[in-house]
């Protein structure tokens, strides 16, 4: 929906669809054109990731993976192979003898998914096969331990789409801090005790930005709050060759201390408060930024998660909430997140 | 074809003859010339249908090979020393997944202290990782073992490490018979994987396995290595028939008939040992050598048969399992166990970090074994003077400083008078 349809400019499309009329910020299928409708209920759906997996209720990662890999399956006519890093997704999808994967899938190690995918892609090239390769992992497996392999794969411009499911922590091992954990968040290794409870400010890194700095053909961030946009980005990524990176914000009810029915809501608030910028970049340049439709204060986002509960305990406002709001404001300014409708940059 | 050629170059040519489809390259001395040689063969069009990938680390090198192998391509990489340790996690992963990758190990010491010279501690660090480990005695054997390695790996769906002594083999210029392409093509069939990532037949590889089946997975790995014992012998025989020379096999005997003293060793040092044995035989001493080619799987039964009649067995090895002694000696001990009238076992550690193993020192060692046997592990040509002084200093002085640097300083100021 963020793209222009036949006769409408991007901004107009947003306006005419009247996103806000139901207060959900979502667009129901009936509001969009045939070609943009979700295929959830279609018999032709590829169903890369079928039922029988063991993810927690409301797991954002399971949802994100299903939509991302399904879109990739559709884009490649099911001619693709997936490489998975160790992590929740790997564990909950393959409780052997059951596997949820309907495509060839390999798990090797925690930190080498990008390199293994390079090897698969090399094998396809040498055998003159058109089979495409997707690597996927959590934020820990991507931004921390798998970072070197990821950068190597980017730098060589290997023909791999790497998808990072960012739930902002090492969830599979019981919620520890990663370099994608936001400041102040409580994890098992950044406990909510002491003078500065939770994760430290001034740490962490933006791997999407680092990916952009590799000048690879395509980089995007996405969110499970906008599955159409996610599908579109994966489809676009599969239409080009070379190294590509998509990072999807996937709330984790268990690790974030949130209600399992709040997954989509939280993902949306993360975007709407400015904490999680959604953008696309091609060959080192940002080409598209998803505008915030209705800006919300960061507190709306924080208050729904127990990992931030310590910020709201005392009778006086915790100054660190203002620091988090400042981070949102900086993102909004840096990426130009608030300026009406989506626009090409 | 006979060539006067560097060992690494010859190995590169032999590997190219095996038509690898994916080669992962990362530099580390003394293995580097092999992947450089392969890079040239790919770039100049000698080796076609091959992806040569310059990776960013050894961990990536083996990981790329894992991906390529799982996707049905014949995959190769090479490393040494620190590089092998850096890829350690992937070393176990490749064997656990049953992927027939072939890797050359240019044997080199492991730091600290950093040392680029030859010994076998790198290979020993991965001796339990589920790879077949073959040790070449000569560069000719290094060439031949690589050709056998691909066949072995793919038949068993198990990775193979070809261990070649750094510098001593990798950098030596010598006369080597490099086979012709039709010979290798006739001997080595194309890779026909037992498991492959194929969209036409989607499978999941690498699922989590719990207590219910983990033992069985490991048992089958072990079982396959016991099968390899037979296959390694068979392939060496087939190879001899096809290529007209003896190479590989589990182990080799040299002048073992009626020997009272049998030496056990691996790799290039066997050449020097054979010279010493010839000289000692001339002096009337009944001594022989057993060269172990296949360290994993370890040929326990075959070795036992060979050592059974001797009075003394001397294991000379280029590695030390700190706190225990020589790892090869430990395995030889296993072969001697339960043998009635078992020979006495003498363990010597030699050539660490590239120290030359000289004929006079070996003469002394082999004589001493029968007349004045030692207890525990003997360190050949140990500079006892500087070791003693270092021990003395550390007892006297709390902040005695870094050991390696202390020893080097002592050597520089006091000379190497032993
Ligand atoms: C080398 C190595 N170190 C640590 C682990 C333990 N480990 C397995 S999964 C995991 C956490 C995964 O976190 P992330 O990549 O963010 O994925 P998530 O589970 O959050 O989806 C960790 C630490 C491991 N398997 N391998
Ligand atoms: S812990 Fe989080 S990421 Fe893992 S399965 Fe549960 S909800 Fe999903
Ligand atoms: Mg995570």
């Amino acid at each position: 929906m963020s793209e222009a349809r036949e006769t409408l400019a991007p901004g107009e499309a947003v306006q005419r669809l009247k996103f806000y009329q139901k207060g959900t910020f979502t667009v129901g299928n009936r509001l969009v054109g045939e070609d943009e409708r979700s295929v959830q209920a279609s018999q032709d759906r590829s169903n890369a990731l079928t039922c029988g997996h063991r993810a927690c209720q409301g797991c954002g990662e399971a949802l994100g993976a299903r939509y991302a890999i399904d879109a990739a399956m559709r884009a490649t006519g099911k001619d693709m192979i997936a490489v998975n890093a160790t992590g929740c997704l790997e564990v909950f999808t393959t409780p052997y003898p059951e596997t949820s994967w309907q495509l060839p899938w390999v798990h090797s190690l925690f930190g080498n998914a990008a390199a293994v995918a390079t090897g698969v892609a090399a094998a396809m090239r040498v055998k003159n096969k058109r089979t495409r390769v997707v690597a996927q992992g959590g934020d820990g497996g991507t931004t921390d331990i798998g970072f070197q392999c990821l950068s190597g794969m980017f730098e060589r411009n290997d023909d791999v789409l790497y998808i990072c499911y960012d739930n902002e922590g090492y969830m599979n091992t019981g919620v520890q801090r990663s370099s994608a954990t936001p400041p102040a968040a409580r994890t098992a290794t950044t406990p909510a005790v002491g003078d500065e409870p939770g994760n430290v400010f001034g740490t962490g890194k933006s791997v999407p930005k680092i990916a952009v700095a590799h000048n690879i053909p395509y980089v995007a961030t996405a969110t499970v709050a906008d599955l159409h946009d996610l599908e579109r980005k994966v489809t676009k990524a599969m239409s080009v060759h070379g190294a590509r990176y998509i990072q999807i914000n996937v709330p984790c009810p268990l690790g974030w201390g949130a209600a399992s029915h709040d997954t989509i809501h939280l993902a949306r608030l993360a975007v709407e408060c400015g904490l999680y910028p959604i953008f696309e970049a091609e060959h080192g340049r940002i080409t598209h930024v998803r505008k915030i439709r209705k800006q919300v204060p960061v507190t709306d986002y924080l208050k729904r998660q127990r990992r931030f509960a310590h910020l709201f305990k005392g009778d006086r406002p915790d100054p660190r909430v203002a620091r988090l709001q400042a981070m949102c404001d900086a993102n909004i300014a840096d990426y130009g997140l608030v300026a009406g409708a989506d626009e090409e940059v | 074809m006979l060539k006067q050629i560097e060992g690494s170059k010859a190995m590169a040519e032999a590997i190219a003859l095996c038509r690898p489809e994916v080669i992962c390259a990362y530099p580390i001395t003394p293995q580097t010339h092999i992947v450089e040689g392969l890079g040239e063969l790919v770039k100049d069009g000698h080796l076609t249908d091959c992806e040569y990938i310059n990776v960013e680390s050894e961990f990536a090198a083996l990981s790329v090979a894992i991906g390529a192998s799982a996707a049905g391509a014949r995959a190769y990489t090479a490393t040494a020393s620190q590089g092998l340790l850096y890829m350690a996690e992937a070393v176990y992963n490749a064997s656990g997944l049953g992927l027939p990758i072939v890797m050359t190990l240019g044997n080199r010491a492991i730091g600290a202290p950093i040392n680029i010279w030859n010994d076998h501690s790198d290979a020993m660090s991965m001796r339990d990782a589920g790879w077949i480990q073959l040790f070449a005695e000569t560069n000719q054997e290094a060439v031949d073992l690589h050709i056998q390695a691909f066949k072995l790996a793919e038949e068993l769906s198990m990775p193979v490490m070809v261990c070649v002594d750094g510098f001593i083999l990798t950098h030596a210029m010598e006369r080597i018979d490099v086979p012709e392409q039709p010979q290798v093509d006739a001997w080595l069939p194309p890779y026909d994987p037992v498991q492959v990532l194929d969209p036409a037949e989607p499978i999941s590889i690498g699922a989590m396995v719990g207590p219910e089946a983990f033992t069985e997975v490991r048992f089958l790995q072990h079982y396959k290595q016991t099968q390899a014992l037979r296959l390694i012998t068979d392939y060496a025989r087939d190879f001899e028939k096809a290529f007209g020379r003896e190479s590989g096999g589990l182990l080799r005997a040299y002048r073992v008939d009626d020997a009272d003293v049998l030496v056990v060793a691996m790799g290039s040092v066997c050449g020097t040992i054979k010279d010493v044995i010839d000289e000692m035989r001339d002096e009337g001493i009944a001594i022989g050598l057993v060269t172990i080619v296949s360290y994993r799987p370890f040929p326990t039964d075959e070795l036992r048969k060979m050592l059974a009649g001797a009075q003394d067995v001397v294991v000379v090895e280029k590695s030390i399992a700190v706190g225990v002694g020589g790892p090869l000696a430990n395995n030889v001990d296993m072969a001697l166990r339960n043998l009635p009238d078992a020979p006495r076992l003498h363990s010597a550690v030699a050539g660490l970090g590239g120290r030359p193993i000289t004929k006079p020192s070996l003469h002394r060692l082999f004589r001493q074994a029968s007349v004045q046997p030692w207890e525990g592990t003997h360190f050949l040509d140990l500079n006892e003077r500087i070791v003693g002084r270092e021990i003395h200093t550390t007892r006297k002085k709390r902040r005695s400083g870094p050991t390696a640097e202390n020893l080097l300083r002592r050597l520089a100021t006091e000379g190497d008078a032993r």
Side-chain angles (χ1 to χ4, degrees), chain B residues 104-170:
Chain B
T104 312
L105 187 68
N107 294 115
R108 165 182 156 179
I110 288 173
I114 188 165
N115 173 302
I116 62 166
W117 309 106
N118 167 243
D119 71 30
H120 290 170
S121 21
D122 51 3
M124 291 301 138
S125 76
M126 291 298 141
R127 67 184 176 189
D128 303 327
W131 286 54
I132 288 173
Q133 288 183 312
L134 306 174
F135 280 79
E137 180 177 338
T138 63
N139 269 323
Q140 184 64 61
E141 188 167 46
V143 161
D144 298 344
L145 281 182
H146 278 96
I147 299 165
Q148 296 183 23
F150 280 103
K151 191 159 171 164
L152 204 54
E154 290 168 13
E155 176 58 27
L156 291 165
S157 210
M158 174 180 275
V160 178
M161 203 182 287
V162 181
C163 303
V164 294
D165 282 320
F167 293 108
I168 300 167
L169 293 181
T170 56

Side-chain angles (χ1 to χ4, degrees), chain A residues 90-101:
Chain A
E90 168 258 328
V91 173
F92 73 62
T93 55
T94 51
Y96 241 76
E98 288 142 55
T99 174
S100 305
W101 297 104

Side-chain angles (χ1 to χ4, degrees), chain A residues 56-109:
Chain A
C56 310
Q57 206 174 36
C59 173
E61 187 161 288
L63 181 67
R66 186 156 77 93
Y67 272 78
I69 301 300
D70 265 1
M73 291 272 272
R74 276 197 300 279
T76 58
K78 300 190 185 181
D79 190 10
M80 62 174 273
I81 293 169
V83 178
N84 219 124
T86 313
C88 269
L89 180 63
E90 168 258 328
V91 173
F92 73 62
T93 55
T94 51
Y96 241 76
E98 288 142 55
T99 174
S100 305
W101 297 104
Q102 303 296 304
L103 76 169
W105 177 95
V106 64
H107 159 245
S108 171
L109 293 167

Side-chain angles (χ1 to χ4, degrees), chain B residues 68 106 150 167 220 251 286 313 330 351 361 392:
Chain B
F150 280 103
F167 293 108
L220 287 171
L251 35 73
V313 168
N330 264 291
S361 298
H392 182 70

Side-chain angles (χ1 to χ4, degrees), chain A residues 18-344:
Chain A
K18 295 235 186 291
F19 281 94
Y20 320 122
Q21 62 193 0
K22 288 164 79 181
T24 61
F25 308 106
T26 55
V27 183
N29 260 347
R30 63 190 174 80
L31 290 175
V32 295
E34 285 283 350
D35 53 332
E36 285 177 80
R37 285 187 187 174
S38 159
V39 291
Q40 282 181 79
S42 161
Q43 284 201 324
D44 301 329
R45 199 189 153 90
S46 47
N47 272 323
L49 176 60
T50 53
C51 58
H53 66 70
R54 308 287 204 267
C56 310
Q57 206 174 36
C59 173
E61 187 161 288
L63 181 67
R66 186 156 77 93
Y67 272 78
I69 301 300
D70 265 1
M73 291 272 272
R74 276 197 300 279
T76 58
K78 300 190 185 181
D79 190 10
M80 62 174 273
I81 293 169
V83 178
N84 219 124
T86 313
C88 269
L89 180 63
E90 168 258 328
V91 173
F92 73 62
T93 55
T94 51
Y96 241 76
E98 288 142 55
T99 174
S100 305
W101 297 104
Q102 303 296 304
L103 76 169
W105 177 95
V106 64
H107 159 245
S108 171
L109 293 167
F110 191 19
N112 71 354
V116 174
T118 291
V120 176
M124 293 306 112
R125 208 160 45 237
V126 81
K127 292 183 178 298
N128 287 318
K129 287 190 183 162
R130 298 166 62 91
T131 310
R132 308 296 300 277
V133 186
V134 173
Q136 49 184 355
D139 50 291
T142 305
T143 73
D144 289 338
I145 200 168
F147 191 62
Q148 178 171 308
C149 284
L150 184 73
S151 176
M153 186 275 278
F154 284 167
E155 169 277 318
R156 290 185 302 267
N157 200 22
D158 293 328
D159 193 12
V160 172
L161 166 62
Y162 191 105
I163 302 173
C164 170
Y165 302 102
D166 180 11
N167 53 21
E168 305 183 339
Y170 292 98
M171 299 319 180
N172 189 54
T173 36
V175 195
Q176 294 83 18
R177 176 206 183 267
S178 80
S179 61
T181 303
R186 177 206 68 191
T187 69
T189 50
T190 53
V193 294
D195 295 341
E196 293 255 337
N199 191 28
V200 227
F201 277 80
T203 60
K205 58 181 153 183
S206 162
V207 171
K209 269 191 189 168
I210 298 170
V212 171
H214 285 75
N215 289 336
I216 55 175
Y218 187 68
V219 176
T221 54
T223 165
V224 287
D226 193 343
L227 294 168
H228 283 299
D229 183 57
L230 168 58
E231 288 177 322
R232 185 185 63 76
K233 282 171 174 166
V234 173
T235 308
K236 183 165 176 181
M238 295 317 282
S239 74
V240 287
H241 286 267
R244 289 142 289 145
Y245 181 71
I246 296 181
Q247 181 171 306
I248 310 169
N249 183 237
V250 289
C252 164
L254 186 96
W256 295 11
S260 50
H261 58 73
D262 251 358
T263 296
I264 303 297
H265 193 186
L266 278 174
R268 187 175 308 120
L269 290 173
V271 175
E272 301 290 287
C273 72
L275 205 54
Y276 214 92
I278 302 297
F279 68 94
E280 284 175 288
E282 291 173 41
H283 300 286
R285 286 191 55 241
I286 292 185
T287 53
H288 186 266
V289 171
R290 185 197 197 280
K291 300 294 177 186
I292 291 174
R293 308 212 190 284
K294 182 180 164 232
Q295 199 184 338
V296 296
V298 75
T299 44
D300 284 14
Y301 172 66
L302 303 175
K303 278 186 168 166
R304 305 186 81 88
Q305 307 171 56
R306 281 199 304 283
R307 63 174 172 160
F308 294 112
H310 57 90
L311 292 174
F312 304 100
K313 257 195 189 144
D315 8 308
R316 259 181 294 155
D318 190 316
R320 294 179 313 146
V321 173
R323 288 185 78 178
L324 282 160
Q325 183 60 53
M327 283 172 60
C328 297
D329 296 342
N331 279 340
I332 288 167
D334 289 353
Y335 290 89
L337 295 178
V338 182
D342 288 20
E343 59 192 39
E344 301 297 323

